């Protein structure tokens, strides 16, 4: 018959690491929130919520009459919309800090070769998110609004609401930021042995269809934005296949030394 004390000791020993992990997770979340608050304070000082609104409004203002402005239909829109934009901009600015906190939380449980594999992916993931958002701001929005304005009747004044405009472009930022993570996802799938590089190459044709379906669902119903999302996804898929081959070659676990075989 087993001693109840032994069971209690065994539970206590397994509970302690779990509590320590929870405390570590709490600390990392707090560090991330502090970093986010600092970024919000810096952006509130310069360029300020109004400056951020003016920046993201540049693509649509370029296709509006010279004296036209975005309107605020909601009673509280002039206050809440700039705050929302400020929070999103601060989150983007603090993205590397958040990625570092995630890395610091999981790093103790990784082998040395896995750490060499994880650090480049974290850096590359942050850069790809920034590239995706910049692609939206500098190219997609301008082409998309130019295409849409062509269908505006001469008797109609296109004066979009600031709240709906911000919601639309933030959804595009999110969609492109996530879509540009395709190489990271492909590398992780191969690295975790869920698929092989050969299977990814065979799936290439299906992925093109999937990319265009995703673009049709998450982007506005215009050809410009759909092509602007689907085509980079297909190209990044190829980059992911190449990256998976490179990472597998350069981050493989070191082979154990062969045991000495006694001579006959």
């Amino acid at each position: 018959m087993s001693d109840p004390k032994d069971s209690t000791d065994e539970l206590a020993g397994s509970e302690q690491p779990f509590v320590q992990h929870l405390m570590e997770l709490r600390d990392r979340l707090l560090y991330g929130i502090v970093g986010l608050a600092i970024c919000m304070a810096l952006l509130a000082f310069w360029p300020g919520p109004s400056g951020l609104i003016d920046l993201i409004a540049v693509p649509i203002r370029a296709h509006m009459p010279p004296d036209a402005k975005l309107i605020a239909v909601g009673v509280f829109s002039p206050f809440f919309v700039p705050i929302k934009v400020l929070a999103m901009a601060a989150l983007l600015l603090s993205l590397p800090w958040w990625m570092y906190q995630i890395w610091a939380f999981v790093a103790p449980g990784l082998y040395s070769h896995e750490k060499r594999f994880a650090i480049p992916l974290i850096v590359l993931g942050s850069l790809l998110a920034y590239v995706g958002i910049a692609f939206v701001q500098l190219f997609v929005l301008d082409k998309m609004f130019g295409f849409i304005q062509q269908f505006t009747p001469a008797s109609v004044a296109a004066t979009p609401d600031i709240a709906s405009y911000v919601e639309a472009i933030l959804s595009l930022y999110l969609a492109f930021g996530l879509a540009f993570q395709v190489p990271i996802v492909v590398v992780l799938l191969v690295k975790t042995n869920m698929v092989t590089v050969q299977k990814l190459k065979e799936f290439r044709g299906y992925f093109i269809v999937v990319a265009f379906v995703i673009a049709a669902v998450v982007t506005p119903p215009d050809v410009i934005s759909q092509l602007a999302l689907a085509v980079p996804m297909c190209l990044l898929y190829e980059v992911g296949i190449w990256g998976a081959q490179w990472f597998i070659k350069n981050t493989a676990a070191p082979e154990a030394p062969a045991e000495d075989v006694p001579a006959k």
Side-chain angles (χ1 to χ4, degrees), residues 84-98:
K84 182 178 181 180
V85 172
L86 177 65
M88 291 301 299
L91 181 60
L92 291 176
L93 184 61
S94 63
L95 180 60
W97 177 245
W98 280 100

Side-chain angles (χ1 to χ4, degrees), residues 53-252:
I53 292 290
D54 293 339
L55 177 63
I56 65 174
V58 168
I60 194 170
R61 289 289 303 275
H63 299 280
M64 295 173 61
D67 297 331
K69 296 181 180 181
L70 298 174
I71 62 174
V73 176
V75 176
F76 301 105
S77 295
F79 174 76
F80 285 114
V81 172
I83 296 299
K84 182 178 181 180
V85 172
L86 177 65
M88 291 301 299
L91 181 60
L92 291 176
L93 184 61
S94 63
L95 180 60
W97 177 245
W98 280 100
M99 298 296 287
Y100 170 75
Q101 298 306 321
I102 296 174
W103 157 251
F105 178 72
V106 302
L110 299 178
Y111 295 105
S112 58
H113 67 279
E114 292 175 333
K115 292 180 180 179
R116 293 195 303 269
F117 163 75
I119 292 176
L121 286 186
I122 291 175
V123 175
L124 182 60
S126 300
L127 291 177
L128 286 174
Y130 287 137
V131 171
I133 293 170
F135 183 66
V136 173
Q137 180 69 21
L138 300 177
F139 177 78
V140 176
L141 293 179
D142 179 68
K143 302 300 181 183
M144 182 181 71
F145 292 132
F147 178 80
I148 293 174
Q149 289 296 329
Q150 294 178 0
F151 297 92
T152 303
S155 58
V156 176
T159 53
D161 172 45
I162 183 62
S164 61
Y165 172 74
V166 168
E167 182 178 353
I169 65 170
L170 288 182
S171 63
L172 285 176
Y173 289 161
L174 179 62
F176 277 77
L178 293 176
F180 273 57
Q181 303 301 311
V182 168
I184 306 298
V185 175
V186 171
V187 171
L188 289 177
L189 288 175
V190 175
K191 186 65 178 178
T192 55
N193 297 321
M194 296 183 65
V195 295
T196 62
V197 174
Q198 183 61 34
K199 289 293 184 182
L200 290 173
K201 292 180 179 178
E202 295 174 358
F203 188 73
R204 182 182 286 117
Y206 298 100
F207 182 83
I208 295 175
V209 177
V210 171
F212 276 90
V213 171
I214 293 175
V217 172
V218 303
T219 61
D222 65 280
V223 179
I224 301 298
S225 59
Q226 292 175 8
L227 289 175
L229 179 61
V231 173
M233 285 182 66
C234 296
L235 296 177
L236 290 171
Y237 184 78
E238 298 297 327
V239 174
I241 294 177
W242 174 84
Q245 295 173 324
W246 185 88
F247 270 105
I248 289 175
K249 179 180 178 181
N250 291 275
T251 61

Side-chain angles (χ1 to χ4, degrees), residues 17-68:
F18 178 72
V19 173
Q20 291 178 350
H21 287 315
L22 286 180
M23 294 178 63
E24 177 69 14
L25 178 60
R26 178 204 61 186
D27 293 340
R28 294 301 169 186
L29 288 175
L30 289 177
Y31 294 152
I33 293 173
V34 170
L36 177 63
I38 293 174
C39 290
M40 287 188 67
L42 293 175
L43 291 174
F45 178 75
W46 186 86
S50 298
L52 291 173
I53 292 290
D54 293 339
L55 177 63
I56 65 174
V58 168
I60 194 170
R61 289 289 303 275
H63 299 280
M64 295 173 61
D67 297 331

